[in-house]
Amino acid sequence: MSDLDEKPVLTPTRHRVLIVDDEESTRLLIARFLTKGMNAEAQLAGTCEQALRLANNYAYDAILLDLQMPGIGGFEVLKAIRAGSANMATPIMIVSVRDDMETNDRCIAAGADGFLVKPVERRSLVYAVKALLAARGKRKPA
């Protein structure tokens, strides 16, 4: 068999996802859903300040962000990322217990690309993140 007859071994792309939530159990659950459900590499942030530090220093394929967090809060993190971090064009999915149209509209207006209500179901989360990643190339920086 010649070199030309051999087929290259293709490995699936591993997406880097930043998960921001002040509840450790939620961060770990979402990370497990994404690592098992789509082979994603999850990085975790438990505070808004940590999330901004990571968003300014590392590139991500998607960011999952809780709104109700101590400190500056999720809305401010969203606005700061969109205003000029290394991830200003990265898709951001809000994952929150808040389930009202006003909050959803406010998130979209601030630059979020999607909204999931907690508690998240594994299949819904994986599907939503895959859709977010598929649309990734279509988003232009603000």
Side-chain angles (χ1 to χ4, degrees):
M1 188 194 253
S2 73
D3 287 345
L4 296 176
D5 295 331
E6 294 180 28
K7 293 186 179 184
V9 177
L10 300 176
T11 57
T13 302
R14 193 151 192 208
H15 296 286
R16 285 183 57 139
V17 179
L18 176 60
I19 300 167
V20 183
D21 198 297
D22 59 323
E23 292 185 30
E24 182 180 23
S25 60
T26 301
R27 288 191 308 270
L28 295 174
L29 181 66
I30 291 173
R32 188 173 76 222
F33 285 169
L34 295 179
T35 55
K36 290 184 184 260
M38 55 183 284
N39 194 33
E41 175 188 336
Q43 192 156 16
L44 310 177
T47 68
C48 292
E49 294 75 18
Q50 184 182 25
L52 287 174
R53 194 168 45 254
L54 290 169
N56 283 320
N57 291 304
Y58 300 98
Y60 296 99
D61 296 305
I63 298 172
L64 302 181
L65 175 64
D66 183 22
L67 290 180
Q68 295 179 286
M69 296 189 50
I72 63 172
F75 281 113
E76 288 72 20
V77 170
L78 174 60
K79 290 177 189 175
I81 290 171
R82 289 291 183 238
S85 78
N87 289 281
M88 63 190 295
T90 300
I92 299 175
M93 174 78 65
I94 301 300
V95 183
S96 178
V97 296
R98 297 183 67 178
D99 187 17
D100 60 273
M101 191 58 86
E102 181 182 333
T103 300
N104 192 323
D105 290 346
R106 188 173 166 206
C107 291
I108 300 302
D113 298 286
F115 195 95
L116 282 175
V117 178
K118 291 180 191 178
V120 294
E121 191 268 331
R122 182 189 58 82
R123 279 189 289 175
S124 298
L125 176 71
V126 170
Y127 178 79
V129 172
K130 284 182 178 181
L132 208 62
L133 293 169
R136 181 176 178 228
K138 299 174 187 169
R139 181 169 180 76
K140 302 253 188 285

